[in-house]
Amino acid sequence: MSYPGYPPSGYPAFPGYPPTGQESVFPPAGQYSYPAVPGGFPPMGGSEYNAAPPTGEFPGIAGYPTAPGGYPPAPSGYAGVPQPGGMPTYPGGAGFGVPPTSSGFGYPQPQAQTYGGGGSVQIPAGYPGGQTPSTPLQPAAVTQSMQGTIRPALNFDAGRDAEILRKAMKGFGTDEQAIIDVVANRSSDQRQQIKAAFKTMYGKDLIKDLKSELSGNMEELILALFMPRTYYDAWSLRHAMKGAGTQENVLIEILCTRTNHEIREIVRCYKNEFGRDIEHDVRADTSGHFERLLVSMCQGNRDENQTVDYQKAQQDAQRLYQAGEGKLGTDESCFNMILASRSFPQLKATVEAYSQIANRDLLSSIGREFSGNVERGLKTILQCALNRPAFFADRLYHAMKGAGTDDSTLVRIIVTRSEMDLVQIKQLFTQMYQKTLATMISSDTSGDYRRLLLAITGQ
């Protein structure tokens, strides 16, 4: 039995298929049915699917093993399912097909999706930062699960790492490369263990020792790496509002992009570490519609139901149109209410519905109806709903574009996304700007600072 549309067009033949000596077991090339294989199918890989085929049949496929919820597993589990004869694995996740149903096998099919979900799609004008790439945006990764460039080190020994750092700072001069080799290859949790081991072994504070040995951007980057992520976000927000002036872009970047859980943890940490109420500080340092948007963000109460209500998306799109393009003046509270409370998948559906109603992109409409910080805040929310890694790729590009470098933004994004989605950010950066993130970092930074940034990004 073959499956319409699978494999996707562009894969007419698969090298090494059928496997040599097993032509009688596997169908001829060009026929994509899935036979029962002695020893179980798939022939290698995942747990319960490695046993002999159960007596039950997957709908329409004799001998194909069934699993809870059907086979393949739920959408997040598509990636990594072995394919016979070297057949490529197709990524799972948003934008790559639908879960199995009784009407068909449901193997992931690349589909046209907005902002890098799958297939080839153009980013409309105004996203991100008014940039439209000259080439279509392709799927960001082989798998659509988010992936960091830093992962926990195997065979980790906090005491051994503490000793390496002690030797690197002891005596005349500093062995910066030894420091880079440790901190760029340990997870945030492992760095906290190193910090604790250092104090236990030497009775000294590792952070104070590092500060005495380093300076400038290298010092800022190292210290950021040794801060737990929640503390680093809270610390960044405090410094953005401390003293004269306010760094509004920092407030937007953090408060408009984090999940409910992350925001609640930041609010708690901000109170515990600095003895201050973050909402009070936001109100004191901002005003008007921008203040109200950030106060909404501080609540950490966005709907996080991943199920999309398309009727509500149509209604919200109509309300946004009537609150902006469809009337003289702008009803700012309507934009605030919808963009601050709807889930990101729901907002993505609203963006698509809006373009049909208004014959204009919602990001462009916000640019026409708003200005300044509130415009940037609303656009950030939508950009994260559409493609969060693309938003951070854009932020990194503009931190290095032109004369001078916004090192604080560069450090903050590289550090906070290094264990989350920096792999996707790097890939989207290349697609959006036709140059690699490593190339821009190399041209905009120097010395140990450059080497550590490149090490974190996996270069």
Side-chain angles (χ1 to χ4, degrees):
M1 177 178 178
S2 59
Y3 304 95
Y6 182 85
S9 59
Y11 295 92
F14 300 90
Y17 181 90
T20 305
Q22 299 189 53
E23 290 82 355
S24 61
V25 177
F26 289 84
Q31 297 183 17
Y32 304 111
S33 56
Y34 288 86
V37 179
F41 187 91
M44 55 186 290
S47 61
E48 67 265 37
Y49 306 118
N50 213 24
T55 54
E57 297 181 358
F58 192 86
I61 310 174
Y64 208 95
T66 55
Y71 191 92
S76 61
Y78 286 138
V81 176
Q83 309 293 317
M87 198 180 293
T89 297
Y90 290 97
F96 283 86
V98 296
T101 65
S102 59
S103 61
F105 184 62
Y107 233 101
Q109 311 291 323
Q111 299 171 348
Q113 279 271 332
T114 311
Y115 312 108
S120 297
V121 290
Q122 290 283 358
I123 303 179
Y127 181 87
Q131 299 292 319
T132 301
S134 57
T135 58
L137 203 62
Q138 303 295 333
V142 174
T143 68
Q144 288 296 297
S145 58
M146 295 296 99
Q147 185 180 347
T149 54
I150 293 181
R151 300 179 183 181
L154 302 176
N155 304 316
F156 170 67
D157 185 332
R160 181 180 61 205
D161 286 346
E163 189 174 358
I164 293 171
L165 293 177
R166 173 66 175 152
K167 288 180 179 178
M169 295 183 286
K170 189 177 180 180
F172 182 75
T174 305
D175 185 352
E176 287 87 355
Q177 189 59 52
I179 296 174
I180 291 171
D181 289 342
V182 170
V183 299
N185 294 288
R186 306 293 184 269
S187 69
S188 179
D189 287 344
Q190 289 175 336
R191 291 186 211 112
Q192 304 316 306
Q193 295 177 53
I194 294 170
K195 192 163 56 173
F198 192 92
K199 183 169 283 189
T200 299
M201 294 167 65
Y202 303 110
K204 301 182 71 176
D205 188 283
L206 174 59
I207 302 305
K208 288 183 179 178
D209 277 14
L210 287 168
K211 289 183 73 171
S212 69
E213 297 289 329
L214 305 169
S215 62
N217 294 322
M218 179 66 170
E219 176 187 352
E220 181 179 352
L221 178 53
I222 287 282
L223 296 183
L225 286 165
F226 274 98
M227 292 182 193
R229 182 166 178 261
T230 298
Y231 177 85
Y232 185 34
D233 277 346
W235 179 88
S236 298
L237 290 169
R238 177 70 190 121
H239 279 258
M241 295 183 282
K242 188 178 180 180
T246 304
Q247 300 173 47
E248 290 87 359
N249 282 337
V250 177
L251 305 184
I252 293 169
E253 179 196 304
I254 295 175
L255 293 176
C256 294
T257 67
R258 304 306 194 238
T259 66
N260 286 349
H261 175 72
E262 289 169 340
I263 288 175
R264 290 169 186 166
E265 287 298 298
I266 290 167
V267 170
R268 180 192 58 77
C269 180
Y270 194 94
K271 181 71 171 179
N272 293 342
E273 296 293 334
F274 308 115
R276 303 179 66 89
D277 181 77
I278 193 170
E279 183 179 325
H280 178 272
D281 284 357
V282 165
R283 290 185 183 277
D285 273 56
T286 60
S287 61
H289 299 296
F290 182 53
E291 173 195 334
R292 288 191 277 278
L293 178 64
L294 293 185
V295 168
S296 293
M297 295 296 99
C298 288
Q299 307 313 303
N301 282 330
R302 181 182 298 282
D303 178 16
E304 291 189 332
N305 183 355
Q306 300 300 293
T307 303
V308 174
D309 183 336
Y310 290 98
Q311 183 176 358
K312 179 186 283 188
Q314 287 285 341
Q315 293 169 350
D316 283 349
Q318 187 65 47
R319 293 172 73 180
L320 290 172
Y321 178 73
Q322 294 298 332
E325 295 278 3
K327 63 174 287 187
L328 185 63
T330 306
D331 180 359
E332 293 87 357
S333 64
C334 179
F335 281 83
N336 193 102
M337 182 273 292
I338 292 174
L339 270 65
S341 63
R342 303 295 190 253
S343 71
F344 285 136
Q346 186 69 33
L347 285 176
K348 184 174 181 178
T350 302
V351 168
E352 293 165 354
Y354 185 91
S355 64
Q356 298 171 357
I357 292 171
N359 198 27
R360 186 190 299 278
D361 182 81
L362 181 53
L363 284 161
S364 301
S365 290
I366 288 174
R368 289 161 60 92
E369 298 293 323
F370 295 87
S371 63
N373 293 317
V374 68
E375 176 193 350
R376 286 192 286 273
L378 293 171
K379 283 186 173 181
T380 295
I381 293 169
L382 284 184
Q383 288 163 353
C384 285
L386 298 167
N387 192 320
R388 195 186 310 261
F391 166 76
F392 286 112
D394 178 66
R395 287 281 286 152
L396 286 171
Y397 176 77
H398 285 92
M400 295 180 282
K401 180 186 177 184
T405 303
D406 182 352
D407 290 290
S408 291
T409 296
L410 179 59
V411 167
R412 188 173 55 254
I413 295 177
I414 293 293
V415 170
T416 58
R417 311 314 294 185
S418 62
E419 294 182 53
M420 301 187 70
D421 53 5
L422 192 52
V423 168
Q424 281 75 21
I425 291 169
K426 286 167 53 180
Q427 292 167 333
L428 284 164
F429 190 99
T430 302
Q431 292 177 40
M432 291 160 65
Y433 301 110
Q434 290 76 56
K435 63 178 69 177
T436 67
L437 177 59
T439 298
M440 284 200 75
I441 288 174
S442 296
S443 64
D444 268 57
T445 61
S446 60
D448 297 319
Y449 176 50
R450 173 201 287 165
R451 283 199 290 275
L452 181 51
L453 283 172
L454 291 175
I456 296 168
T457 57
Q459 301 304 316

